[in-house]
Amino acid sequence: MAGIRELRAYQRIHLVGHSLGGVMSDAALKKVVQDPQQEALRPLHQLASITYFASPRSGTGLAIPGVRHLLPELRALKRFSKEGNRVADFFTREMTSDLRDPPSDHRVWLPRFACIAGSDAFVSDYSATFAIPYNQQLRLNGTHASIVKPESSSAPQVSWLLENIGQVVAARQRINEQQYRARRAPRAVRGRSTLVTEYWGHQSGRWESEYNDARRESSTGAIAVEDHRDMPHGTAIDLLIAVSDAAEVISGSQRDEQNARDAANRARAEYDLTVGLATVGDVHEQAVPVIAKWITAEGPRTVMVRGAKDNQELKFALSDWIQSVVRRDPRSRPLTDASRTALTVLEQPGQIGDQS
């Protein structure tokens, strides 16, 4: 469980467990998903799938009392044990494991797959495939140990595993898009749909004035670009803009670094959020790669980094970003394959921030 939590920078984790390792993965998975801090991640979780190779998930007859005394780890393999029943009940109540079924009822969607050895002397077919959809099972000729020792990268279990991961990634993308469209239902302010922005930077200064001017000038009769402070509490943010002083960035400003990291984490956690990080000053060209280095480890989805020599160039950058989000907005036109791409975009003055 602790090892999984250390992988926070990864958007998707695919677990693979052999024999007892699969049973232990189930127990760890149960603890991670039940963590109250993970509730907001439903129905998609950072854990994207789990694949079992010859795992006796409903126990094995070899876990007899005498053997369990010699090997305490085998207590988890006792047939129909209380802990095994609790884990099975958890998967039934809290999770959806069928690759074909969309998530519902606030359950976690986490496809599970099982590979079974035809000559396995330790694990029965029933125990290895317990509660796994039939179309997510693979039966191979081999023994309990040999099925996890492929002779080449083209072995059937390797191809099967990679194909499953590809299907899971594609399905998660579709689910994300469905949620994205649902959350982006038009919001009405004074009779117009709205695009909501948030500003991080020096308050009541010249930078915020440029931000407000860019918002007002980007508003049209169809869409109003509104600051989140003028919207009801809890309204979803479409575009987060953070502005920093280029000289302070180069000097290693901890405040600006933390802002950049926090903004990148927001982009990673919120599928429908776009982030623009602007740095202003004569040394902006040197500051851009510094910001890029700050956010690389955060694994952001859509983050635009841009340098500006002065306030006028800053306003151009902010207007570009606002227009790029307006053009990607499903209220303006259908979401295209290009606009779905998750990118970190590094920009220089004069480039357009629109990636659609």
Side-chain angles (χ1 to χ4, degrees):
M1 179 176 174
I4 294 173
R5 286 175 173 168
E6 291 176 358
L7 301 175
R8 293 176 181 173
Y10 293 88
Q11 295 182 27
R12 296 182 302 272
I13 299 173
H14 298 272
L15 296 179
V16 179
H18 172 238
S19 193
L20 180 60
V23 179
M24 295 297 99
S25 295
D26 273 353
L29 177 65
K30 176 174 177 288
K31 291 182 179 179
V32 171
V33 174
Q34 286 184 322
D35 187 334
Q37 296 181 358
Q38 303 291 325
E39 280 291 313
L41 298 177
R42 297 188 179 204
L44 298 183
H45 195 278
Q46 183 187 25
L47 297 175
S49 73
I50 183 167
T51 302
Y52 309 98
F53 281 83
S55 291
R57 296 174 37 260
S58 68
T60 174
L62 294 178
I64 57 178
V67 176
R68 293 202 304 271
H69 177 73
L70 297 175
L71 296 173
E73 294 87 353
L74 290 180
R75 293 171 186 167
L77 301 183
K78 179 183 177 182
R79 282 179 174 171
F80 308 111
S81 66
K82 291 183 179 180
E83 179 57 27
N85 289 335
R86 281 195 290 267
V87 172
D89 182 62
F90 162 75
F91 277 106
T92 301
R93 290 183 294 103
E94 302 290 336
M95 307 192 73
T96 300
S97 297
D98 196 323
L99 184 62
R100 301 165 298 180
D101 289 346
S104 60
D105 301 327
H106 196 58
R107 291 193 293 174
V108 173
W109 186 77
L110 194 150
R112 296 185 293 162
F113 305 89
C115 184
I116 309 102
S119 302
D120 196 325
F122 303 98
V123 182
S124 69
D125 274 16
Y126 174 81
S127 187
T129 61
F130 179 67
I132 303 297
Y134 181 78
N135 63 301
Q136 291 165 215
Q137 302 174 15
L138 176 67
R139 285 173 170 78
L140 294 177
N141 293 326
T143 65
H144 184 76
S146 69
I147 63 169
V148 289
K149 297 178 180 178
E151 297 181 355
S152 70
S153 59
S154 60
Q157 58 266 58
V158 177
S159 301
W160 174 74
L161 177 63
L162 295 177
E163 180 182 355
N164 292 340
I165 291 175
Q167 290 181 332
V168 170
V169 171
R172 286 170 67 92
Q173 178 71 10
R174 290 193 298 271
I175 294 169
N176 264 326
E177 291 167 8
Q178 292 166 1
Q179 292 182 305
Y180 172 75
R181 293 189 179 98
R183 289 195 298 264
R184 293 294 292 275
R187 296 181 288 269
V189 174
R190 295 185 289 277
R192 296 182 293 177
S193 293
T194 64
L195 184 145
V196 182
T197 60
E198 183 175 346
Y199 169 80
W200 290 2
H202 296 298
Q203 301 294 324
S204 303
R206 186 61 184 159
W207 294 344
E208 188 175 16
S209 296
E210 301 295 353
Y211 159 77
N212 288 326
D213 287 345
R215 283 195 305 104
R216 285 190 289 267
E217 294 173 12
S218 298
S219 296
T220 67
I223 293 183
V225 183
E226 299 281 353
D227 184 84
H228 77 291
R229 289 166 290 187
D230 298 323
M231 300 294 291
H233 179 71
T235 300
I237 308 298
D238 300 299
L239 173 63
L240 170 61
I241 292 172
V243 185
S244 60
D245 183 283
E248 293 183 6
V249 168
I250 292 176
S251 68
S253 167
Q254 291 185 352
R255 179 195 61 196
D256 291 327
E257 179 177 358
Q258 190 60 53
N259 276 351
R261 292 185 182 277
D262 289 346
N265 277 325
R266 281 272 299 273
R268 178 176 176 269
E270 301 174 29
Y271 183 79
D272 49 350
L273 177 67
T274 297
V275 168
L277 303 177
T279 185
V280 186
D282 292 336
V283 291
H284 59 86
E285 292 184 356
Q286 295 94 319
V288 166
V290 174
I291 295 176
K293 185 177 181 180
W294 286 345
I295 67 174
T296 298
E298 308 304 324
R301 292 192 60 82
T302 305
V303 177
M304 299 178 285
V305 184
R306 185 162 176 173
K309 179 179 65 177
D310 51 29
N311 290 336
Q312 183 178 17
E313 285 192 356
L314 172 63
K315 183 178 176 181
F316 288 155
L318 303 186
S319 297
D320 281 350
W321 290 343
I322 292 171
Q323 289 302 318
S324 74
V325 176
V326 168
R327 286 192 289 269
R328 282 201 299 266
D329 196 306
R331 292 165 290 185
S332 302
R333 62 176 176 79
L335 194 66
T336 65
D337 288 340
S339 66
R340 286 196 297 258
T341 304
L343 297 174
T344 297
V345 183
L346 303 184
E347 304 176 347
Q348 293 296 331
Q351 289 185 309
I352 302 298
D354 184 18
Q355 293 302 302
S356 62

